[in-house]
Amino acid sequence: ISPTLALPNTATNITITGTNFVSVPTVELVSTTGAIVRADTVTYSSATSLVASVNVAALASYYVRVENNNGQSVRSTNADLTVSTAPSFTTAAGSLGSFTKGATISVNVSGTSDSAITITKTSGTFPTGLSLGSTVSNTATISGTESGTQTTATTYNFTLRAADAEAQTTDRDFSITIQPATIANSGLFS
């Protein structure tokens, strides 16, 4: 089956590879507690490949059972699928703040899942001098002292990824703006 790790508890397609499939079989997920969930749709690709659309809300491990229209059936030997809550960010997308050049900055980005998550940067740029620390208790901190070289307001855009223990991921876009220093009642200067 593919994916081989965990499914989110939302509508998901799984590909089942085997032999002697007949158009169009029944696909069921049988939980280790005995509950049975029938696939919403099954697409017969060939005698060796099926795609089943499943929507499983209960967090559990599942066997995969396929029954052909001719009565032949098979069930996986192991509970090969785990349904798990995909990670999500609790920090809102968008701006994490606007800071003056040369400032010491510390902003937290947090997420949640049914297992521990790690947060990493997948694309974009942080302001010079800032870096993403390790994830502790589902929270990572972007911190450091900005280089202090900004002469104009600059917005740095980046994408962070939350990944859980079941290898499920969620991406979210954020930004940090660095402003040149200001003096009260005089406007901007560099």
Side-chain angles (χ1 to χ4, degrees):
I1 57 171
S2 176
T4 56
L5 297 173
L7 296 179
N9 56 342
T10 59
T12 305
N13 287 337
I14 60 170
T15 301
I16 304 166
T17 304
T19 58
N20 301 319
F21 295 139
V22 176
S23 181
V24 170
T26 300
V27 174
E28 297 174 329
L29 302 182
V30 181
S31 83
T32 53
T33 64
I36 297 173
V37 177
R38 182 174 255 184
D40 296 326
T41 62
V42 177
T43 303
Y44 173 84
S45 303
S46 69
T48 60
S49 181
L50 305 169
V51 176
S53 175
V54 295
N55 192 354
V56 183
L59 306 181
S61 295
Y62 291 86
Y63 297 91
V64 177
R65 183 177 181 282
V66 178
E67 183 175 340
N68 284 332
N69 294 333
N70 63 9
Q72 293 177 326
S73 65
V74 65
R75 189 194 82 177
S76 61
T77 303
N78 301 311
D80 294 325
L81 284 177
T82 299
V83 175
S84 169
T85 301
S88 62
F89 282 94
T90 54
T91 303
S95 176
L96 295 175
S98 181
F99 304 90
T100 303
K101 72 177 184 174
T104 298
I105 299 168
S106 180
V107 292
N108 291 330
V109 177
S110 299
T112 187
S113 185
D114 57 356
S115 61
I117 65 167
T118 57
I119 298 173
T120 57
K121 180 170 69 86
T122 60
S123 66
T125 306
F126 292 142
T128 303
L130 301 187
S131 62
L132 181 66
S134 299
T135 307
V136 177
S137 300
N138 295 341
T139 298
T141 302
I142 301 168
S143 62
T145 301
E146 198 278 326
S147 67
T149 59
Q150 294 299 116
T151 58
T152 60
T154 304
T155 299
Y156 296 86
N157 297 296
F158 49 91
T159 301
L160 299 182
R161 172 170 291 162
D164 66 13
E166 294 82 25
Q168 299 173 103
T169 62
T170 299
D171 292 352
R172 183 162 279 181
D173 295 330
F174 298 98
S175 66
I176 293 175
T177 300
I178 302 298
Q179 301 281 349
T182 61
I183 295 178
N185 301 322
S186 69
L188 300 176
F189 73 92
S190 56

